Amino acid sequence: MALHLNLYHEIQKTKALKRRDPLKISLYVLGAIAIAFATYYVIQVLYMHSLVEDFNKKKADYDKLAPIAKTAKKREEELTLKVKASDALVQRLEGRFYWAPVLEQFITVVPREVQMMRLNGDLPGDGLPRCAIGIDGLSAGSDPRKVAEQLRTALADAFKTRFKKVTSTFRTLEDGTEMVMLDGKQTPTATFAIVLQLYLTDSAPEQAPTRKKR
Amino acid sequence: MKLGKEEIQKIVLGVLLFFGMVYSYFNILLGPLLAREDAFEKSIKGLGPATAIANAQIAQTKQMEAEAPKVAMIVHQVNAMIPPGSPVAWFPTRMADFFKAHGIERVTTRLNSESIDKRYTGYRKLTWGIDATRVGFVQFAGAIAALENDEPLIEITSIQIDAGREDVEMQHVLITVNNLVKQ
């Protein structure tokens, strides 16, 4: 084998060293990173631009709507007041307590053996939709107390159909001192006072709690 | 491979430049940009519901506006039931005429009190005492039925009927009513 001498090895070595120069390679890497950063930044700037456009468009829409909505809210408040006032009027007109049917019931229920001396009806206005009626009268017959009792129960039964809850109680029931003529006979009498409570709703007032005995 | 002094200096400088560039990129360029993006995204998200609420408000008011004539009609009807002028001038006469038309003479009407109920904006409530000295129970019940039907603004709050001592067929009646009049 013939001896081969490379007289350029010095030049080739220098060239190879230049090719593998770390400074140059790191500069290339740095350049690549810089380009990547710049590209990402540009993408973000473009995205930001689109966001700004979107925001401006939506803000313009909202700025147009906001004063209209504000006026609408004010108008709604005015209308709500009017509606409330109107509802209150309707409620008053339709939610009145009608006395005529109550008086009609008295005409049908009170028997001929009873003389009503006083009828006192009142809407207490304590928040509960109810009517309190006090009836003072005179009952006559062979057993006038029984007649008064029959009137009390008859009143309760008669009003039960019309009202949610009815209570009918005696405030007083006493034998009368005078005798009255009924069907040509002198009959004894009894004086009574009945309290009739007519509730328009189921919510009757709760009884006061009784004190515990020690 | 041995690095010369000059090359080491270059590498150190390059590394410093690299860190400087990375720091500047994140803190001066990208950081504030991302923060602004975030703020804009939040603002856009916030505008969505605000716009929806505004639209809903406008729609709701439009609906109420559509119902307004009905409300105005009720108020107009109520106002039409109230005669002009001072109630003291017209109400007692009206009651006297009404009961007279139902066969009940000698009816006296007096103003008991006057109040303002907040529920009835634009109206005041007058309470009257109506006194009839001689009236039959059945006749009175008929008149009350007619009164309740003909006068929707009147509400009877109490009735007191006393049987006469001399004539048990005739009663003395006192009713308390309240009615609404314009303020």
Side-chain angles (χ1 to χ4, degrees):
Chain A
M1 185 178 158
L3 185 65
H4 179 73
L5 288 174
N6 184 4
L7 296 175
Y8 294 104
H9 73 278
E10 288 283 339
I11 295 162
Q12 284 170 350
K13 195 180 173 185
T14 312
K15 274 185 182 173
L17 275 176
K18 267 190 181 175
R19 235 187 358 256
R20 292 194 296 267
D21 183 7
L23 195 64
K24 204 169 112 184
I25 291 166
S26 61
L27 278 174
Y28 286 152
V29 171
L30 272 177
I33 290 170
I35 287 166
F37 277 9
T39 310
Y40 183 68
Y41 183 76
V42 169
I43 289 167
Q44 288 302 321
V45 166
L46 289 174
Y47 177 60
M48 177 70 193
H49 185 69
S50 73
L51 275 182
V52 170
E53 271 186 1
D54 191 22
F55 174 77
N56 285 340
K57 194 184 163 198
K58 285 186 174 168
K59 182 86 170 62
D61 287 347
Y62 179 71
D63 287 347
K64 265 186 202 171
L65 277 177
I68 301 168
K70 200 178 171 184
T71 316
K73 193 173 172 63
K74 210 173 172 183
R75 177 73 181 138
E76 191 196 340
E77 281 167 9
E78 285 171 16
L79 287 171
T80 306
L81 278 178
K82 282 184 182 173
V83 169
K84 270 187 185 172
S86 163
D87 285 349
L89 285 173
V90 171
Q91 178 68 28
R92 181 187 158 88
L93 300 184
E94 291 178 357
R96 288 183 301 159
F97 184 85
Y98 289 96
W99 289 88
V102 174
L103 298 176
E104 186 195 5
Q105 288 286 356
F106 276 104
I107 292 167
T108 55
V109 167
V110 176
R112 54 191 284 278
E113 293 90 356
V114 169
Q115 171 65 46
M116 279 170 50
M117 305 307 291
R118 171 175 280 188
L119 187 146
N120 199 352
D122 191 32
L123 302 177
D126 53 4
L128 282 168
R130 69 184 174 107
C131 172
I133 301 171
I135 308 135
D136 293 358
L138 190 77
S139 60
S142 54
D143 188 356
R145 281 174 172 268
K146 193 179 174 187
V147 173
E149 170 61 13
Q150 280 169 348
L151 173 67
R152 187 188 69 80
T153 51
L155 284 172
D157 292 341
F159 286 109
K160 260 177 196 164
T161 54
R162 190 176 289 274
F163 295 94
K164 296 275 181 186
K165 189 184 173 185
V166 178
T167 60
S168 173
T169 51
F170 277 117
R171 203 172 62 224
T172 59
L173 176 60
E174 290 167 3
D175 291 329
T177 51
E178 55 189 322
M179 303 283 276
V180 295
M181 189 71 80
L182 183 69
D183 297 332
K185 289 179 193 170
Q186 286 285 334
T187 51
T189 58
T191 55
F192 64 85
I194 295 171
V195 178
L196 191 65
Q197 303 260 18
L198 311 173
Y199 294 95
L200 294 166
T201 58
D202 286 327
S203 54
E206 287 180 11
Q207 284 189 331
T210 50
R211 185 180 283 183
K212 283 181 183 175
K213 284 181 183 176
R214 290 184 181 176
Chain B
M1 190 180 75
K2 257 196 169 182
L3 295 172
K5 191 186 171 187
E6 199 181 326
E7 283 172 328
I8 290 168
Q9 278 178 344
K10 276 182 186 175
I11 287 167
V12 169
L13 188 68
V15 168
L16 282 175
L17 271 173
F18 175 74
F19 282 117
M21 191 189 78
V22 169
Y23 178 81
S24 307
Y25 177 76
F26 281 106
N27 279 288
I28 297 168
L29 292 175
L30 197 62
L33 184 70
L34 290 178
R36 279 185 68 200
E37 270 179 16
D38 198 34
F40 269 103
E41 275 173 351
K42 276 183 185 165
S43 300
I44 290 166
K45 269 186 187 171
L47 275 176
T51 310
I53 288 168
N55 276 323
Q57 175 71 64
I58 293 165
Q60 194 176 327
T61 308
K62 267 185 188 169
Q63 196 185 337
M64 284 187 84
E65 284 280 10
E67 289 167 10
K70 196 178 152 192
V71 172
M73 175 68 87
I74 292 164
V75 176
H76 180 72
Q77 283 173 344
V78 168
N79 286 341
M81 284 187 263
I82 303 169
S86 171
V88 183
W90 57 261
F91 189 78
T93 323
R94 189 166 171 162
M95 287 299 102
D97 291 346
F98 178 85
F99 283 105
K100 199 173 182 180
H102 290 84
I104 301 168
E105 302 282 345
R106 284 189 287 175
V107 171
T108 319
T109 305
R110 288 188 186 86
L111 179 64
N112 289 347
S113 66
E114 185 177 332
S115 62
I116 290 173
D117 194 328
K118 281 181 186 172
R119 288 173 299 170
Y120 313 119
T121 316
Y123 300 94
R124 59 200 162 107
K125 198 159 80 173
L126 303 183
T127 305
W128 307 84
I130 301 172
D131 197 354
T133 47
R134 276 177 64 81
V135 56
F137 189 89
V138 177
Q139 188 185 24
F140 171 69
I144 290 295
L147 182 73
E148 285 176 334
N149 285 327
D150 296 352
E151 302 280 351
L153 287 181
I154 288 179
E155 185 182 35
I156 300 168
T157 55
S158 79
I159 289 180
Q160 189 178 320
I161 304 168
D162 288 301
R165 284 275 169 198
E166 291 81 26
D167 185 359
V168 289
E169 294 296 319
M170 301 307 275
Q171 279 90 32
H172 175 209
V173 171
L174 175 66
I175 60 173
T176 309
V177 302
N178 64 51
N179 75 328
L180 289 182
V181 293
K182 283 182 215 166
Q183 262 184 351

